Amino acid sequence: MTTIPIAEAFDQLLKEPLPLRITAYDGSASGPEDAPYSFHVRNERGLAYLMTAPGDLGLGRAYVTGDLEVTGVHPGDPYDALVMLQKGLKFRRPSAPELVRLLTGLGLSHLKPPPPPKEEHLPRWRRVLEGMRHSRTRDSEAIHHHYDVSNAFYELVLGPSMTYTCAVYPNDDASLEQAQEYKYDLIARKLDLKPGMRLLDVGCGWGGMVRHAAQHYGVKVLGVTLSREQATWAQEKIKEMGLDHLAEVRHSDYRDVTETGFDAVSSIGLTEHIGVKNYPSYFGFLHDRLRDEGRLLNHCITRPHNRKEETGAFIDRYVFPDGELTGSGRIITDVQNAGLEVMHEENFRRHYAKTLAGWCKNLADNWDACVAEVGEGTARVWGLYMAGSRLAFERNEIQLHHVLATKTTADGRDGFPLRPSFEHDAGNRG
């Protein structure tokens, strides 16, 4: 049996030469020596990860364990290397004889999958033990996997706002914190919040919208989250700010909210988790929480098309288990079918790319503290996922949409002026 050098095997699978340097533990190398970035396969386990799970899952496994080293970028922000990789990595489909020769040349022993990294979640088909997809039990487990990492880690990555959703940049020079503040205020203005109103914030995270509405608009707010860590942090922050007479965050499934008659409902980053097939019941539930002429603002990641599409294998196993996305058209359809009138819609795709760049910078700047808090594997997962997501937003593979709707009455009262007033920065702050 002829042994094939690892770097040479990569070359044989490519349509054109890589603009990157590939090296491996067997001493082989390919690509320009002066390439700005290089990928080094450190050991046999790394090769086995790449051979047994071709694509983003194998690359992710090797990278998370450190079996695949990337030089020229910080592990907290590998964005530049991913851009180069996406531009240059064009595989061809080998013939069956070629594939057999490559596999045998690299060693058939590498076709035995190594145990996955400890940071990896179960595959979709094995999650049946946690319940049916988007059952309460399984949703709770999925949220726990992603959000109950470490509040201290999130403080380092997200910054003082503790906001893990797309910011809205009023201008190119705005900081991440300024953009998060502007996002919350824009949502408050879209919902036309005024002192004395009642707001329900579903999937409230660490309570950023809850605090903003209570502090700046004098609104009585109920936030709910499936993450116990988030709820505990949020309640402590609310008390620290002296807002506990107006604001409450519950550790609860949104479906357990029994109160009705809210003046407004905000859903900021929850729709991604509930499953496309559950949109009708979800928006129906929110409709029933609103008073007549009450408003709903739905903020969520979408696809640039309206087909249901599951997330990729790496994102599903390491970041958002059971995640599903579709387009804004599907969301608008289900909002309308729930009996709400859609009044406004807009896309913040480029804003999310900027938001992710800010989070990656925070991770890189606080790398040692982040690793000490959650371990290098988890820190690498976050760097890779956020940098890759930034690239996807920039390339219009995913988007972020606001859909603003109202509970119009039977005789046509919608509670809106003839022209929207929410673009005025002054808003209705009390």
Side-chain angles (χ1 to χ4, degrees), residues 52-294:
T52 56
D56 67 334
L57 183 58
L59 283 167
R61 285 171 171 169
Y63 182 77
V64 167
T65 55
D67 296 337
L68 177 66
E69 290 180 340
V70 182
T71 61
V73 292
H74 193 286
D77 188 6
Y79 169 80
D80 290 334
L82 293 181
V83 171
M84 184 75 75
L85 191 65
Q86 192 161 48
K87 286 180 179 178
L89 199 61
K90 297 179 177 65
F91 286 110
R92 65 179 182 84
R93 185 183 295 275
S95 65
E98 283 183 299
L99 185 59
V100 170
R101 183 179 62 83
L102 284 170
L103 292 176
T104 55
L106 288 171
L108 295 177
S109 62
H110 297 122
L111 292 177
K112 180 181 179 182
K118 62 182 177 63
E119 293 81 7
E120 185 171 315
H121 198 51
L122 293 172
R124 287 185 176 97
W125 64 270
R126 287 189 58 190
R127 291 181 209 146
V128 292
L129 297 176
E130 298 169 359
M132 296 297 292
R133 182 181 292 192
H134 300 300
S135 65
R136 292 177 181 241
T137 301
R138 189 155 156 179
D139 279 354
S140 180
E141 176 58 30
I143 294 298
H144 169 73
H145 175 83
H146 187 67
Y147 292 100
D148 292 343
V149 176
S150 158
N151 284 335
F153 172 77
Y154 278 111
E155 287 173 343
L156 292 165
V157 174
L158 302 180
S161 73
M162 280 294 273
T163 299
Y164 186 34
T165 48
C166 175
V168 176
Y169 287 78
N171 54 65
D172 282 338
D173 297 327
S175 68
L176 175 61
E177 288 302 306
Q178 289 169 333
Q180 293 292 13
E181 172 84 3
Y182 187 88
K183 181 266 299 292
Y184 285 134
D185 209 64
L186 176 61
I187 291 173
R189 299 195 304 271
K190 285 183 173 182
L191 292 173
D192 197 27
L193 297 182
K194 294 181 174 68
M197 283 185 168
R198 295 171 62 228
L199 169 67
L200 171 63
D201 186 34
V202 292
C204 68
W206 290 273
M209 183 66 200
V210 173
R211 298 191 304 277
H212 187 92
Q215 181 180 20
H216 297 296
Y217 286 81
V219 174
K220 188 171 180 61
V221 195
L222 170 61
V224 292
T225 173
L226 271 177
S227 166
R228 188 179 299 278
E229 293 276 343
Q230 288 180 335
T232 299
W233 191 97
Q235 278 296 101
E236 290 175 355
K237 191 69 174 179
I238 286 168
K239 186 171 183 180
E240 175 188 316
M241 294 176 67
L243 297 172
D244 40 338
H245 64 296
L246 289 173
E248 175 191 357
V249 169
R250 293 179 190 166
H251 175 229
S252 168
D253 192 296
Y254 75 89
R255 289 164 286 199
D256 292 329
V257 175
T258 58
E259 294 92 331
T260 59
F262 288 95
D263 299 284
V265 173
S266 52
S267 173
I268 308 172
L270 176 59
T271 318
E272 299 91 330
H273 298 289
I274 66 172
V276 175
K277 72 175 184 179
N278 295 321
Y279 284 5
S281 60
Y282 176 66
F283 290 118
F285 181 88
L286 299 184
H287 168 279
D288 293 345
R289 307 276 80 71
L290 285 167
R291 64 162 174 83
D292 287 348
E293 301 181 55

